[in-house]
Amino acid sequence: MSAGTRPPGADLPEHPDHLWREPDPKRSYDVVIVGGGGHGLATAHYLARAHGITNVAVLERGWLAGGNMARNTTIIRSNYLWDESAAVYEFALKLWEGLEAELDYPLLFSQRGVLNLAHSLQDVRDSVRRVEANRLGGIDAEWLDADGVREVCPIVDISPAARYPVLGGTYQPRAGIAKHDHVAWALARSADAAGVDLIQGCEVTGIDVRGGRVTGVRTTRGSIAAGRVALCAAGHTSVLAAMAGFELPLQSHPLQALVSELLEPVHPTVVMSNAVHVYVSQAHKGELVMGAGIDAYTAYTQRGAFHVVERQMAAALELFPVFARAHVLRTWGGIVDVTPDASPIVGRSPVAGLYLNCGWGTGGFKATPGAGAILAHTVAHDEPHPLARPFSLDRFTTGALVDEHGAAAVAH
Amino acid sequence: MRSSDVLTADVAVVGAGPAGLAAAGEAAAAGLDVVVVDAGARPGGQYWRHGPGAEGPAPGTHGRGTFSTLRAGLGRHGVRLVCGHQVWQAGRHDDGFVLRLRPVHDFPHDDAVERVSARRLIVCTGGYDRQLPVPGWDLPGVMAAGGAQALLKEYGTVPGQRVVVAGTGPFLVAVAAGLAEAGARVVAVCEANAPVRGWLRRPLAALGEPAKAVEAVRYAAALARHRVPYRTRTAVTRVHGDDSVRAVDLTALDHDGRPREATRTTVPADLVALGWGFTPSLDLLLTLGAATRLDGDGSLVVRVDDGQRTTVPGLYAAGETTGIAGATQAVREGLLSGLAVTADLGRAGRTGDGVDAGPSRSRRAARLRSGVRRGRRFAEALHAACPVPAGWTAWLAGDTVVCRCEEVPFAAVCHAVRELGAEDPRTVKMLARPGMGMCQGRVCGFATALITRHLTGHPSTAEALSAFGKRPLAAPVTLAELAASDDRTAPRTAPWS
């Protein structure tokens, strides 16, 4: 680095002077939210701020935002294929655009654009179809040919002899990344300030149902009565549903990511490739953040098989030869909760007063404010938010699926 | 991948130091097929470093004879030695283990081995110098005591003219003696504790380690010969300099280990060698899930039974990873692990090859176990006599860098605890980023844990240290290496024309 330039990350903000209280659980709440990740915290935030419901507890068995919220690659975009899902993610993206002001906290939300590469003629047809669908839905979407891709991201190898030839890509300029822990802290701070109890180290061990209606939860810190219970536990939501006596069509798979040493800014956008299961961005401090594909087997381990990482980094290097000598420092895994149609389940459950929010797959982080707002509405009105209606649990019996296997960017 | 890139064996040993050489030789003598992997160019580890242009440790090196015996044993029993390779990952596979290797330099060389696959794994990865931050410790001219010694032993380089050696433990004496013998002017050895009332007064021989007593006397004589001042209850509390070390502050410590400001003196120096004991290298063992405990010196170490078996079936550990106790103990533990792996794999061992002559294997094992217990008692006494001084954080300034990779100052760690409510090292790491850089907390992890303990009043736990020390990648690996290890062979042609 030349003298006089500021080191990477020098513009990062200071942390807030306090985060949140550490309250003991009360005996009863109007609403109990199970899961203190991004979605649980956002739901608490919107319950308090949009619906005036503050007698709320968020129960987290570990620590706040230590699950998938701390393990994702922070990509935010809304260019999904079907109207139903594009609407949800666009709703979330619009919330993202106002979230720093809403939470009065810097989230390092950077609309640096997201490229989804096309490597085959079928990819091209699918991509162009998606761009047109997005445009009809009012979402910013562009089709770029290979030269257009290079213009946006000069370090992508677009030569025709490349192992994964780049025929073009979809580009959403308003898409981008945010700093995940800042998002969690800001949501937690907001909910806490409104009076929500954020209770860490509190695992739900049972759900009390009387006469078909939820009455409370049993936890490692005692029984807690609740008028309504919202489940925001990603893949573990099916474990919770089993406690309440019903099953969910969720499969949980390990999904891995990794981070490199700090590099000078070289990668101006976010590049994803569905065909090779790779997505790469450069975080604010300079490290490359790279995601791999999911493990084929199901597991609740936050650790995946390493050959998946190897295969996908081999592909990543074909796309980005410039990164060959970057050292990988750390890998980790999260748990991707996948439904049969790769779309989320949001809404009521077979148990009255018990609400579901799960199955977001690889879309969880980008949906954070949207999922929270929609679920909060659903809980407050005991009526699915209009955007949530297509994502009801009963679509798996009616057959009204929202198949997003293509646009989820990582095949599930 | 070429098949020659993959080695298969009964037993893989990681580390060719005292423990690893002993373990490999013992297992191979019983007829097992053994592969040893080491990052060094030649076997011997950090303890037996080869002199410049020489094969084997320099004459006079402690335990040189043991090295020669062990080294010869490897050749005699056909142990395959893979030097110059780091293990960057260890995993389970079927009933055994797979190690992933990379050449220690970033460019692959011709004889690169990519994987070692073995039914049993003995981890003898040793340890490295433990460091405590002090203002100015990031200046050129400040180095780990072990680093200064390594330069001297391996290259004959004396990296300074006026040297201050400081920290705690008998290792400082060995380093200072070596530097003085090589011609450096050692202006002070600062021992933070008072070993005259501790380990020096309590005769080492009485602890059952007469060899240690001989070694200590030899170093003490060297220091006396070169008139090296040995100051107890004294620490380097600041390093001065602009581009490199110019001087150091030496300050006496009170009974709580806090600097007594009135005693501070400034001494010119151009080399500061610091050592606060050693940190065991547990990366592979933690990744494989071995259970741990906190040792008397505050280090996280792996639990083993009386055959050096960890809690993971098929996985053994010997040497410093089971508790910092020195080379003699490491050899005993290595031999014991070799005997245990032999027994566990159902090999009675060869007879009549000289190695097994004498007492029966079970009697040898019993004798080694008793030696290990004795060595453990000795180590415990040393740990008790040479603790990190409780009040050491008093010499930190707000801008003293704690994590050098991420440039995290002491003030940021304080902020994470006092303002943000972090109560354990893992949360400190999340909020302030110490341990998130190139070394992944190998250097700053211990200090971060101590600072967190000091600020919160909560004692360190094995769980907390383990959370800080879990590293699925045992060494940074380039994307190119990751890519190359993907063994799918696909044609590099475009799928259309």
Side-chain angles (χ1 to χ4, degrees), chain A residues 15-17 19 63 163-165 167 185 285 303 306 310-311 313-314 317-318 323-324 326-330, chain B residues 88-89 100 106 287 406 419-420 426 431 436 440 473 476-480 483 485-486 488 490 492 496:
Chain A
H15 296 298
D17 283 345
L19 293 177
W63 60 90
R163 171 74 180 83
Y164 303 104
L167 302 190
W185 297 338
K285 212 167 165 162
R303 195 170 154 181
F306 205 73
E310 286 166 346
R311 181 144 304 174
M313 289 312 107
L317 264 199
E318 298 282 354
F323 293 148
H327 286 90
V328 177
L329 300 186
R330 197 161 62 243
Chain B
W88 58 268
Q89 196 186 53
R100 315 295 298 276
D106 273 351
T287 300
E406 288 280 322
E419 308 295 334
L420 305 180
R426 180 193 54 76
L431 294 173
M436 294 284 274
Q440 290 288 295
L473 297 180
V477 57
T478 66
L479 277 169
S485 59
D486 173 26
R488 182 172 50 175
R492 292 179 60 96
W496 81 100

Side-chain angles (χ1 to χ4, degrees), chain A residues 180-403:
Chain A
H180 58 88
D181 45 8
H182 287 215
V183 176
W185 297 338
L187 289 168
R189 184 176 71 156
S190 167
D192 176 81
V196 173
D197 283 352
L198 307 177
I199 301 165
Q200 306 184 71
C202 181
E203 181 173 357
V204 170
T205 54
I207 295 179
D208 293 323
V209 179
R210 210 166 297 148
R213 178 163 194 91
V214 72
T215 58
V217 294
R218 275 164 280 150
T219 79
T220 50
R221 295 178 68 178
S223 289
I224 302 173
R228 296 172 187 192
V229 175
L231 305 182
C232 295
H236 284 85
T237 306
S238 45
V239 177
L240 294 163
M243 295 176 190
F246 61 97
E247 289 187 349
L248 289 176
L250 277 184
Q251 288 199 332
S252 291
H253 296 262
L255 175 67
Q256 298 174 86
L258 41 118
V259 67
S260 79
E261 62 194 307
L262 303 184
L263 304 174
E264 289 290 301
V266 289
H267 183 21
T269 183
V270 179
V271 171
M272 314 182 69
S273 168
N274 194 350
V276 300
H277 294 195
V278 159
Y279 31 111
V280 184
S281 67
Q282 187 171 19
H284 300 81
K285 212 167 165 162
E287 65 268 43
L288 297 174
V289 180
M290 292 170 284
I294 65 171
D295 279 38
Y297 61 87
T298 56
Y300 280 130
T301 58
Q302 288 169 323
R303 195 170 154 181
F306 205 73
H307 69 84
V308 175
V309 167
E310 286 166 346
R311 181 144 304 174
Q312 276 135 29
M313 289 312 107
L317 264 199
E318 298 282 354
L319 294 174
F320 295 98
V322 67
F323 293 148
R325 287 168 64 188
H327 286 90
V328 177
L329 300 186
R330 197 161 62 243
T331 72
W332 65 90
I335 306 168
V336 178
D337 47 334
V338 187
T339 63
D341 61 356
S343 284
I345 300 170
V346 185
R348 288 188 295 224
S349 78
V351 175
L354 183 66
Y355 305 91
L356 301 172
N357 173 65
C358 58
W360 286 92
T362 51
F365 179 76
K366 60 183 68 70
T368 299
I374 289 167
L375 182 61
H377 175 104
T378 303
V379 171
H381 298 282
D382 188 30
E383 178 68 35
H385 185 284
L387 290 172
R389 280 200 192 105
F391 300 107
S392 65
L393 178 58
D394 66 8
R395 75 178 186 273
F396 299 105
T397 46
T398 65
L401 304 179
V402 187
D403 184 355

Side-chain angles (χ1 to χ4, degrees), chain B residues 60-115:
Chain B
T61 304
H62 192 71
R64 187 166 175 250
T66 310
F67 170 78
S68 303
T69 307
L70 293 175
R71 180 72 186 85
L74 296 198
R76 194 162 60 244
H77 300 296
V79 172
R80 284 173 288 169
L81 199 51
V82 181
C83 284
H85 282 69
Q86 266 176 316
V87 177
W88 58 268
Q89 196 186 53
R92 301 296 311 251
H93 182 67
D94 295 335
D95 289 334
F97 301 85
V98 175
L99 304 175
R100 315 295 298 276
L101 273 48
R102 68 190 298 262
V104 286
H105 301 296
D106 273 351
F107 298 97
H109 49 67
D110 292 342
D111 302 324
V113 175
E114 284 192 11
R115 293 172 205 233

